[in-house]
Every structure is written in C-alpha cells, then in structure tokens.
C-alpha cells in the first residue's frame, strides 16, 4: 500500500497535536478543598490583584481552571448538601432549616438524612479511607455528624464560625470536634486554618498506602475573619485578604505533602468555594453580578481549579458548565464505584471535561438556581432566564420578601456575551424564553417551588430532642 508524503506528514502532525489519552489509575486519591464565602475573583488564577496566591497560581498552571463551575446555593448548608449527595438542595429538603431560615443553626432539628448516600459512603464501598477536616454545616446532632455520613474521622466545627456570637439568643460557644466529641469551646479561630492544615497533612501521611478521600472544608474567609500570626496584617486587603493568603499557604502544604510522599500522580486535588463572596467584607466576584445569597452569577458561580498530574491537562481552561452536583458521580466513576440507583442523583460524571477530551461537552447543560425553596432562574447552554415575582424583590437584593406569588415578568441573559447579566434580551428571543419556561416547569414538578413540594423531593433528617454541643467537662457538671 502506497501512502503519499503529505498524508504521512499530516498523520505525524496530528499525533503530536493530540496528546495520548492517559492510562486510568485504579482507585486514585481525592482531595476536595472547599473555601467558605470565597468569591469568583478572590484568587490569582481568576483575576485577583489584591491577594497573593502563589500556590493556587501554581495549581492552575499545573491543572485546569473551570470558568463555568457552580454550586447549588448562595449560602452554606444547601450548597454543602449538594456536594455530599449529588442532588439539588430541594431534592434532599435542605434548602432551608425548617424555621424559614436558609441555613442550619446550632441544635437544629433538621439535618442531612442518615439514609442519604454521600460521596464518602460511595468511596468507602470501594475501600477508601475517608476523612473530613473543617466546617460541616449539615446538622450538629449526633445523627447528622460526618462520622455518621461515611467519614472515618472528623476534626472541625459543625456550623458557621459566627454562630457562637453572644448576640444570638441561647447561643453557645463555637465548638471544635474530634469525631463526635467537643474538644474546645470556644474554638480559637485565630489558628483554625493552620490546625486544619496540620490535620489534613497528617491524614494524608497516615493513609498514604491506601486510597483515600480527604474533604477539607475551610472555615474562612467567612466572617468573622481570622488568620494565624504569620499572615495576620500581611495582605493589602485587610483581615479578609489575610485569610485567603493563609488558605493559599494551606493549599501549598497539601500539594507539598502529596509530592513528598510520591502521591502526586495518584491524586486529584480540587479547589473551589461553597458560594460567592459577600459584598460586606472585602470579597470580589468580578466580573459577575451579585454576591453571596444571590441567584445572580456572583452568588453561585465560583472559582474552581482541578489538578492531577498526567491526567488533567496542564495550564488549561474549561468553559463548559459543571457543578458540585457532578462530584459524587465523577468520583464514583474514577474509583470504580456505583452511583446510587435507588434514587435520583442530579449530577453527571464530568470526567471527560476534566480529562480535556477533544469535543467533550457537559452531559447536562441545564442548571437551576434556587433561593431557599424558590426557583428564581434556569440556565441552559448560554442562556439564563430569571423569574421576577410580586414586587420584583429578588434574592440578589438581599430582601426576604414574599416572592411566592404569581410570576410577573422574566429577564433573559446571554451569558456568553453578558457575563455580568446587564442586558435583558428576552424581547429578542421569545423562543428561548419559551424553552426555558418549559424547563422551569419541569423543575417545579420534580423538585418543587415555593410551598409546592416536588414529586421526587426526599425528606430531610429530623430529630425531636436536640441538645447544644458542649465540652465534655461542662456536660458532666
């Protein structure tokens, strides 16, 4: 068979241009780092000029940035519920706390249902060591704690770091737990990021000879902000900046531990945030509009970096839509595990995007934006449709008005050309508005909306008698 020289040259060029697909690694390690209230533009790889983040810069250079990565809520509890379960907050009924508040508070009767299957439980079935360090916020009663939800070990605080404020009625000091035992109250928040980091590194060292899943959920930069002595007062953005620069240091310590132990090529590390930054403390979501708590992009689109040498392409950017809903099915796929088949899981395996496969697209490009129990927007591809109700007071205005009345209006944005959601183009695209309205109706039937329950909505965990977490010595008095 005769082959022309031009064809041979073309084949050679294509073989050089298209990297060979990496060989799969059986049961790789996973490290998932979750900052608290860190904004889209708060780190160097996403445009920050006020925070020094050399370790995250390096992580992006050695991995992949996701520019369209979402969490399912603009606040803590519902966002974290989706990470653990791969399901929308309304699906698992953690879109609010049972008292018409949007997050769980100390001694809340509600929490993550023990029958839910978490990403930790999926990985334990594959022989993984599972450890959590940091903020949980899915229920502080024993039935709801990480050690009852698939984690072998836990070291951290069970809710937000402002929930021990003396101004809150009947509040107790913010506790630090090891396992299910309070070992410090109030926790010294000045050193919490450093201690989390030491605990995380110890977990990696202790489990270096077996597959492991480490979930490191930082308390910062959630207000009140604290940093340890080497970082306190060092940034040019006040205490908020100090916390982010210490989180960057922490990430560097994790990466160094993996390198020192020869685990780099066996470990995927993901860094992201539980929701957008608040506009009150110095955070930045630019060029997105809106802040924490909002269903505008600034509330729910977050920075994400994934690093796995030899598997995730270096120095790349992924613009396809993905979310924390996709973590459970993706980790299940990579570990050889199973996604639960007895319930609806909203996430999809997004490994083709992470691996940089040519032509890879989102498995499901539909995404729903809920504010507590209210469906406020839907995205499909480049289009995002906002629903305005009653007096047009929506979550991005930080108003908890009654928005459960008749829908009055919509606004349509083309996120491919208007990432800041400034130009309503609904009059020009009635067919898009109609299609997204249909998608919204599907969600209202499936997940629910306002006071109307969804047909596939699952119950939350519930306990009748609750007790605040206190030091063992105080309990025995």
């Amino acid at each position: 068979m005769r082959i022309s020289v031009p064809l041979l040259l073309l084949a050679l060029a294509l073989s050089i241009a298209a990297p060979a697909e990496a060989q799969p690694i059986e049961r790789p390690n996973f490290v998932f780092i979750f900052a608290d209230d860190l904004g889209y533009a708060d780190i160097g790889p996403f445009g920050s000029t006020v925070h020094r983040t050399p370790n995250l810069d390096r992580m992006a250079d050695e991995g992949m940035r996701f520019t369209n990565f979402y969490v399912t809520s603009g606040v803590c509890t519902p966002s974290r519920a989706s990470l653990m379960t791969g399901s929308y907050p309304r699906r698992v009924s953690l879109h609010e706390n049972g008292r018409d508040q949007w997050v769980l508070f100390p001694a809340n009767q509600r929490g993550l249902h023990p029958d839910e299957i978490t990403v930790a439980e999926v990985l334990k079935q594959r022989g993984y060591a599972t450890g959590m360090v940091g903020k949980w916020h899915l229920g502080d009663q024993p039935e709801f704690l990480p050690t009852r939800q698939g984690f072998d070990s836990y070291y951290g605080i069970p809710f937000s770091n402002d929930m021990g404020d003396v101004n809150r009625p009947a509040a107790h000091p913010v506790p630090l737990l090891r396992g299910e035992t309070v070992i410090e109250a109030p926790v010294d928040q000045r050193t919490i990021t450093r201690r989390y980091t030491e605990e995380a590194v110890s977990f990696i060292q202790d489990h270096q000879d077996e597959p492991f899943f480490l979930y490191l959920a930082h308390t910062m930069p959630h207000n009140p902000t604290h940093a340890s002595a080497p970082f306190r007062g060092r940034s040019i953005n006040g205490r908020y900046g100090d916390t982010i620069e210490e989180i960057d240091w922490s990430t560097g310590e994790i990466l160094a531990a993996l390198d020192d132990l020869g685990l780099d090529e066996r470990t995927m590390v993901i860094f992201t945030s539980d929701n957008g930054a608040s506009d009150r403390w110095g955070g930045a979501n630019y060029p997105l509009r809106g802040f924490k708590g909002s269903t505008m992009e600034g509330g729910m689109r977050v920075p994400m970096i994934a690093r796995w040498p030899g598997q995730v392409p270096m120095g790349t950017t992924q613009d396809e839509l993905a979310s924390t809903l996709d973590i459970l099915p993706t980790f299940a796929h990579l570990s050889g595990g199973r996604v639960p088949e007895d319930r609806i899981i909203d996430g999809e395996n997004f490994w083709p995007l992470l691996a940089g496969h040519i032509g890879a697209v989102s498995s499901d490009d539909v995404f729903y934006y809920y504010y507590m129990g209210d469906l406020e927007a839907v995205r499909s591809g480049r289009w995002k449709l906002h629903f305005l109700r009653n007096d047009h007071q929506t979550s991005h205005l930080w108003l908890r008005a009654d928005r459960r009345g008749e829908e009055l209006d919509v606004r349509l944005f083309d996120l491919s050309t208007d990432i800041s959601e400034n130009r309503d183009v609904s009059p020009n695209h009635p067919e898009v508005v109609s299609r997204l309205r249909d998608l919204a109706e599907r969600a209202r039937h499936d997940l629910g909306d306002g006071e109307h329950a969804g047909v596939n909505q699952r119950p939350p965990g519930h306990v009748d008698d609750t007790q605040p977490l206190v030091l063992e010595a105080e309990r025995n008095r």
Side-chain angles (χ1 to χ4, degrees):
M1 182 172 62
R2 299 171 64 183
I3 302 177
S4 68
V5 171
L7 286 176
L8 281 172
L9 292 175
L10 176 60
L12 178 61
L14 288 173
S15 68
I16 294 173
E21 188 169 321
Q23 293 298 311
I25 293 177
E26 183 180 0
R27 295 193 303 170
N29 306 314
F30 303 106
V31 177
F32 192 92
I33 305 173
F34 220 21
D36 193 345
D37 290 6
L38 181 141
Y40 192 79
D42 272 339
I43 58 176
F46 284 78
S48 177
T49 58
V50 296
H51 302 142
R52 294 167 296 187
T53 57
N55 295 294
L56 289 167
D57 295 346
R58 171 197 159 200
M59 189 175 166
D61 289 341
E62 296 176 351
M64 178 181 289
R65 295 185 319 129
F66 274 70
T67 61
N68 278 275
F69 192 81
Y70 288 87
V71 291
T72 57
S73 174
V75 292
C76 307
T77 294
S79 172
R80 291 157 196 267
S82 292
L83 171 64
M84 284 296 103
T85 66
S87 302
Y88 278 104
R90 272 212 69 135
R91 176 88 61 207
V92 297
S93 298
L94 284 181
H95 53 286
E96 54 97 14
N97 73 348
R99 305 172 187 166
D100 203 30
Q101 296 168 310
W102 56 7
V103 297
L104 298 178
F105 283 85
N108 217 120
Q109 291 181 306
R110 181 171 292 194
L112 181 62
H113 200 294
D115 289 344
E116 290 294 340
I117 298 175
T118 67
V119 60
E121 289 170 314
V122 168
L123 294 174
K124 273 188 70 68
Q125 293 170 0
R126 290 290 295 145
Y128 277 68
T130 57
M132 188 195 166
V133 178
K135 172 180 167 179
W136 175 237
H137 215 169
L138 292 174
D140 68 353
Q141 299 303 289
E143 295 87 343
F144 306 139
L145 290 174
T147 45
R148 309 287 182 99
Q149 303 281 3
F151 289 98
D152 299 326
S153 62
Y154 174 53
Y155 178 89
I157 67 172
F159 36 71
S160 290
N161 64 331
D162 63 342
M163 290 186 173
D165 191 319
V166 294
N167 294 318
R168 294 184 184 274
H172 286 257
V174 174
L176 176 68
L177 278 69
R178 183 175 292 283
E180 299 180 7
T181 302
V182 179
I183 60 173
E184 182 179 318
V187 60
D188 184 352
Q189 296 193 39
R190 296 170 299 178
T191 59
I192 196 66
T193 299
R194 179 169 294 274
R195 286 190 282 170
Y196 284 171
T197 306
E198 293 167 353
E199 193 75 16
V201 170
S202 292
F203 177 85
I204 292 171
Q205 293 169 340
D206 291 345
H207 299 283
Q208 60 182 291
D209 296 325
E210 59 185 323
F212 62 79
F213 167 47
L214 170 63
Y215 172 33
L216 172 55
H218 285 292
T219 295
M220 306 297 163
H222 191 287
N223 195 67
T225 51
H226 295 275
S228 62
F231 298 92
R232 200 175 306 140
R234 299 298 178 88
S235 84
I236 64 172
N237 193 29
R239 291 170 58 181
Y240 184 88
D242 296 346
T243 69
I244 291 176
E245 294 190 3
E246 186 164 25
I247 288 171
D248 177 78
W249 163 82
S250 172
T251 305
E253 293 295 293
I254 301 294
L255 297 179
L258 295 172
D259 182 46
D260 292 344
L261 297 171
L263 297 175
D264 253 357
E265 295 185 355
R266 292 197 56 82
T267 308
M268 178 192 289
V269 182
I270 291 178
F271 179 95
T272 187
S273 177
D274 70 338
N275 47 249
S278 169
D279 59 344
R280 303 176 182 183
W281 320 119
N285 300 314
Y286 180 84
L288 308 179
R289 183 180 177 189
F291 293 90
K292 172 183 177 176
S294 158
T295 54
M296 304 296 287
E297 292 295 284
M300 295 173 61
R301 192 193 298 204
V302 290
M304 193 277 242
I305 306 169
R307 176 186 182 270
W308 186 4
Q311 303 288 328
V312 173
M314 293 177 57
T316 53
T317 297
Q318 178 60 261
D319 297 323
E320 287 289 313
L321 190 152
S323 77
T324 48
L325 293 168
D326 303 324
I327 297 299
L328 185 152
T330 302
F331 286 9
H333 166 76
L334 292 170
S335 67
R338 291 179 175 272
V339 173
E341 297 177 351
D342 62 343
R343 66 200 65 200
I344 295 175
I345 301 297
D346 296 300
E348 301 283 346
N349 171 23
F350 75 131
W351 172 240
L353 301 181
L354 284 162
H357 291 171
I358 296 174
V361 296
S362 298
S363 299
D364 185 358
D365 71 346
V366 178
F367 185 78
Y368 297 109
Y369 303 71
Y370 275 86
Y371 173 82
M372 295 184 69
D374 297 340
L375 179 63
E376 289 199 341
V378 57
R379 176 176 177 177
S380 176
R382 63 197 247 203
W383 303 105
K384 179 179 179 182
L385 188 68
H386 278 272
F387 306 101
L388 308 180
R389 303 165 187 255
N390 286 346
D391 55 3
H392 292 208
Q393 293 174 336
T394 56
S395 69
H396 68 277
L397 299 178
W398 283 83
L399 297 174
R400 186 65 185 100
D402 179 13
R403 297 179 315 287
R404 295 188 173 96
E406 292 297 320
E407 180 183 310
L408 297 180
D409 200 359
V410 296
R411 290 180 183 170
L412 178 69
F413 300 102
D414 181 351
L415 296 179
S416 68
T417 59
D418 182 21
I419 193 174
S420 301
E421 298 173 277
N422 287 320
R423 299 183 298 276
D424 174 23
V425 295
S426 57
N428 303 327
H429 299 279
E431 74 291 348
V432 176
V433 171
S434 177
R435 180 169 64 85
L436 268 61
R437 281 186 189 274
D438 289 343
L439 292 174
E441 285 304 312
R442 185 191 308 173
R444 289 174 180 133
H445 175 74
D446 179 28
L447 294 166
D449 188 16
E451 299 299 325
H452 302 287
V455 296
N456 293 309
Q457 189 174 341
R458 303 194 289 269
H462 178 86
V463 294
D464 290 325
D465 299 319
T466 64
Q467 296 292 327
L469 296 172
V470 296
L471 277 167
E472 198 65 25
E474 182 180 340
R475 185 184 300 279
N476 294 331
R477 285 178 185 174

